[in-house]
Amino acid sequence: MSHVAILGATGRAGSRIATELLRRGHTVTGIARNIAQAEARPGLAFKQADATQVDSLAPALRGHDAVISATRFAGGSDAATVIAAARQAGVPRLLVVGGAGSLEVAPGQALVDTPQFPEAYKPEALAGRVFLEALRAEQDLDWTFLSPSALFAPGERTGKFRLGGDRLLTAADGKSWISMEDYAIALADEFEKPAHSHQRFTVGY
């Protein structure tokens, strides 16, 4: 059993990752700026901290085996802050809920740079790419960045999916998607049996 801290544990992806880790017997600490509405469960406790401030975040991370960042990139915590807080806290691993925008759809072309990419999602996608680039420059902390497929929404926990590298995955019907429940399985698998240290990878149907 391991102790895992999750930034954004009350969010859509973060809450499902917490559920997946709990069902596997791990202990989870949810870290959020506002925990008034957060519901503790057996194995899940909450700590109040500001994920954008190293001095606030680092004390909340101490004593954990890993930290999972499931916060938004645009207006949320940046890579430098999370890395610095993890180092200060002595947490050896960082797993990041990434975005699909930085995945390649053709050699050298990212999804976010295609003409059809929705303008409304660009700030988040571009901030996610900056976060990934910062991680790729990080030599010491053991990090992993897991990008979902293009459509990332609540759905079923099937346990049936494919893993990929830097290329956007599409299903036989042309759709690129993954449920948050199956994404949580892939991230929990990576936590338990690391296979993508200092790498970005992706998951989809």
Side-chain angles (χ1 to χ4, degrees), residues 19-38:
T19 296
E20 183 64 33
L21 290 170
L22 289 172
R23 73 186 292 161
R24 298 179 185 215
H26 301 294
T27 302
V28 178
T29 303
I31 296 173
R33 194 176 301 179
N34 182 8
I35 60 173
Q37 305 299 319

Side-chain angles (χ1 to χ4, degrees), residues 59-91:
L61 296 182
R62 281 196 190 101
H64 293 90
D65 300 300
V67 55
I68 296 172
S69 178
T71 61
R72 289 176 60 81
F73 295 116
S77 191
D78 60 42
T81 300
V82 178
I83 290 169
R87 276 186 182 154
Q88 199 170 302
V91 177

Side-chain angles (χ1 to χ4, degrees), residues 158-182:
T158 70
K160 296 174 183 176
F161 48 79
R162 293 182 296 146
L163 301 181
D166 287 316
R167 189 77 185 257
L168 183 75
L169 293 174
T170 53
D173 61 2
K175 281 177 65 178
S176 174
W177 68 293
I178 186 73
S179 73
M180 290 181 172
E181 288 76 5
D182 278 341

Side-chain angles (χ1 to χ4, degrees), residues 104-183:
E104 289 189 346
V105 292
Q109 185 183 35
L111 180 63
V112 68
D113 296 325
T114 59
Q116 63 267 35
F117 193 86
E119 283 294 326
Y121 298 128
K122 270 194 176 175
E124 178 70 10
L126 293 171
R129 180 159 63 184
V130 169
F131 198 111
L132 176 59
E133 287 168 355
L135 286 177
R136 284 176 165 159
E138 171 60 31
Q139 301 299 318
D140 301 323
L141 186 66
D142 184 1
W143 62 268
T144 299
F145 188 101
L146 177 54
S147 287
S149 290
L151 178 60
F152 185 37
E156 285 186 64
R157 182 185 187 276
T158 70
K160 296 174 183 176
F161 48 79
R162 293 182 296 146
L163 301 181
D166 287 316
R167 189 77 185 257
L168 183 75
L169 293 174
T170 53
D173 61 2
K175 281 177 65 178
S176 174
W177 68 293
I178 186 73
S179 73
M180 290 181 172
E181 288 76 5
D182 278 341
Y183 176 97

